[in-house]
Amino acid sequence: MTGLENIPDIVVSRLPIYLRALSYLREDRVRVTSSELGDYLGISSAQIRKDLSHFGGFGKQGTGYNVPKLVEALRKILKVEREWAVALVGAGAIGHALSHYDGFADYGFRISMIFDNDPAKIGAQINGFEVYDAAHLAELIPQRNIALAMLAVPPEAAQQVADALVQAGIRGILNYAPINLVVPDTVRVQYIDPVVHLQRITYYLTEPPEAPEGG
Amino acid sequence: MTGLENIPDIVVSRLPIYLRALSYLREDRVRVTSSELGDYLGISSAQIRKDLSHFGGFGKQGTGYNVPKLVEALRKILKVEREWAVALVGAGAIGHALSHYDGFADYGFRISMIFDNDPAKIGAQINGFEVYDAAHLAELIPQRNIALAMLAVPPEAAQQVADALVQAGIRGILNYAPINLVVPDTVRVQYIDPVVHLQRITYYLTEPPEAPEGG
């Protein structure tokens, strides 16, 4: 594990996919070859071997990878061998969906607090979480030692909330608002926008269908 | 616009980001330089120019890009100068959030039908959409000429539903279930999983905070 700072982002982007697939596999088996993993993920086995070789390599040609060991190694590389407290800002439809997502704990995350600025929502419970007043972000986030936030507010509010989160010490934001955020270089942002992902599909579709009838 | 088949996926992945940023910008101004766009997006101006040069280039050094023209060109490249009908499968928390997302129409998409297999949900209305029985996917999707689906069902059901969607002629799936889907090469899949995106953040965070107190 040397030279981590030089790993291309595209390689990093595949590591969570490998971890997720291997975590499922782990229930059934102890070893997997790069070919088997590649077939499952639709990624070439050469790509998988090359990606993992950045971190020292974890298998020998022919014998495959030890699944539990590779899972542990990937959890360390992605720094999710521990649990990260996450603030969720926005108790609307996306916030509700995220509060019900039950995959966080297995992969290193835990929603710690939910914030909103709507008086009708503040103090209410969402899936067992109390909703706090977003005006108190600045005190509560450092108190709880929260480093990550999921931002699920309307686009017109997103930049202002992001500024407040950065002020409060947040170092990574998962942004569901469909706008680009301007943040200091020290803060990482990831974007989730269905339109962006749908366009990455339509780009490859060669024959658009005719306009749908009715509906 | 030549050699589209050779454009790296990483370049394609940035085009929707450019389109979204330019669509916002269009309300304010007619020209933008690659430096201005790069500062806004946190992407180098050289990268932006290189990405766009794959499609013939759209500006001259110094004068910048014509925003409305570049928006139109990107919409054509991404094939969203038309509107795509999209099926939403799964009327749970994520399905609700998606049914309320109001950014689809501006970017080339329209939810056409919502499906679920829960008798309590079938026939109900969600944000003005009737929920149809997922057992009728196979007839209804070809009738409505739907090429795209958003999959928001529990992970244990996702592969089976994906198989049915592929059978029904769906050519692209935006998958919210946190599992990898096995589909024919002719079908494109994009994944949205908050855990995967959060791990792409934590990878880069160098000093995990101490374990949070309480909470």
Side-chain angles (χ1 to χ4, degrees), chain B residues 1-185:
Chain B
M1 290 212 215
T2 53
L4 290 196
E5 66 285 355
N6 297 319
I7 310 291
D9 189 55
I10 186 76
V11 174
V12 174
S13 76
R14 285 189 287 261
L15 301 180
I17 309 293
Y18 298 157
L19 175 57
R20 191 176 63 186
L22 291 162
S23 300
Y24 276 99
L25 267 180
R26 185 168 52 171
E27 293 167 20
D28 296 328
R29 52 198 290 182
V30 173
R31 301 200 76 82
V32 67
T33 66
S34 56
S35 297
E36 291 168 321
L37 190 57
D39 286 346
Y40 177 63
L41 291 173
I43 298 173
S44 78
S45 58
Q47 184 71 69
I48 292 173
R49 287 196 302 272
K50 194 176 163 200
D51 286 350
L52 294 177
S53 74
H54 285 288
F55 303 95
F58 299 97
K60 285 176 188 165
Q61 195 110 25
T63 65
Y65 299 108
N66 177 300
V67 177
K69 280 192 182 166
L70 186 50
V71 165
E72 281 318 296
L74 286 170
R75 290 175 68 96
K76 280 210 181 91
I77 290 166
L78 293 166
K79 305 199 180 74
V80 291
E81 79 282 23
R82 70 181 298 286
E83 190 179 73
W84 296 81
V86 182
L88 167 59
V89 189
I94 295 170
H96 268 81
L98 288 170
S99 76
H100 285 88
Y101 180 89
D102 62 6
F104 288 124
D106 289 343
Y107 291 95
F109 304 101
R110 178 176 55 85
I111 292 179
S112 175
M113 302 190 80
I114 300 182
F115 294 94
D116 204 294
N117 68 351
D118 179 350
K121 289 177 181 161
I122 295 165
Q125 297 276 327
I126 295 186
N127 198 27
F129 297 99
E130 181 176 345
V131 179
Y132 290 87
D133 188 343
H136 299 148
L137 275 177
E139 307 101 74
L140 293 172
I141 282 180
Q143 274 175 29
R144 298 286 186 101
N145 214 349
I146 299 172
L148 300 172
M150 297 190 288
L151 187 54
V153 303
E156 58 274 19
Q159 182 63 54
Q160 195 185 340
V161 176
D163 292 344
L165 289 169
V166 170
Q167 282 291 317
I170 288 291
R171 295 185 293 151
I173 298 174
L174 180 55
N175 179 28
Y176 281 81
I179 66 156
N180 193 72
L181 297 177
V182 179
V183 297
D185 287 345

Side-chain angles (χ1 to χ4, degrees), chain A residues 3-214:
Chain A
L4 291 196
E5 66 285 356
N6 297 319
I7 310 292
D9 188 55
I10 185 76
V11 174
V12 174
S13 76
R14 285 188 287 262
L15 301 180
I17 310 291
Y18 299 157
L19 174 57
R20 191 176 63 184
L22 290 162
S23 300
Y24 276 98
L25 267 178
R26 185 168 53 172
E27 293 167 18
D28 296 328
R29 52 198 294 184
V30 173
R31 299 200 78 81
V32 67
T33 66
S34 55
S35 297
E36 292 168 321
L37 190 56
D39 287 347
Y40 176 63
L41 292 174
I43 297 174
S44 78
S45 58
Q47 183 72 69
I48 292 173
R49 287 196 301 274
K50 195 177 162 200
D51 286 349
L52 294 177
S53 73
H54 285 287
F55 304 93
F58 299 96
K60 286 177 189 165
Q61 195 110 28
T63 66
Y65 299 108
N66 176 300
V67 176
K69 280 192 182 166
L70 187 48
V71 165
E72 281 318 295
L74 285 170
R75 290 175 68 94
K76 280 211 181 89
I77 291 166
L78 293 166
K79 306 199 180 74
V80 291
E81 80 282 23
R82 69 180 300 283
E83 189 178 73
W84 295 82
V86 182
L88 167 58
V89 188
I94 295 170
H96 267 83
L98 287 170
S99 76
H100 285 89
Y101 180 89
D102 62 5
F104 288 123
D106 289 343
Y107 291 95
F109 305 100
R110 177 176 55 84
I111 292 180
S112 174
M113 301 190 81
I114 301 183
F115 293 95
D116 204 294
N117 68 351
D118 179 350
K121 290 176 181 163
I122 295 164
Q125 297 276 327
I126 295 186
N127 198 28
F129 297 99
E130 180 176 346
V131 178
Y132 290 88
D133 187 343
H136 299 147
L137 276 176
E139 307 102 74
L140 293 172
I141 283 180
Q143 274 176 28
R144 297 287 186 100
N145 214 351
I146 300 172
L148 300 172
M150 299 190 287
L151 187 52
V153 301
E156 58 274 17
Q159 182 62 54
Q160 195 186 341
V161 176
D163 292 343
L165 289 168
V166 170
Q167 281 291 318
I170 288 292
R171 295 187 292 152
I173 298 174
L174 180 56
N175 178 28
Y176 281 81
I179 65 156
N180 193 72
L181 297 177
V182 179
V183 297
D185 286 348
T186 51
V187 177
R188 308 286 310 189
V189 182
Q190 284 280 314
Y191 294 88
I192 285 188
D193 181 349
V195 159
V196 165
H197 286 80
L198 286 170
Q199 290 178 346
R200 290 178 63 179
I201 294 174
T202 52
Y203 171 85
Y204 293 100
L205 298 187
T206 44
E207 299 162 45
E210 293 155 34
E213 298 161 37

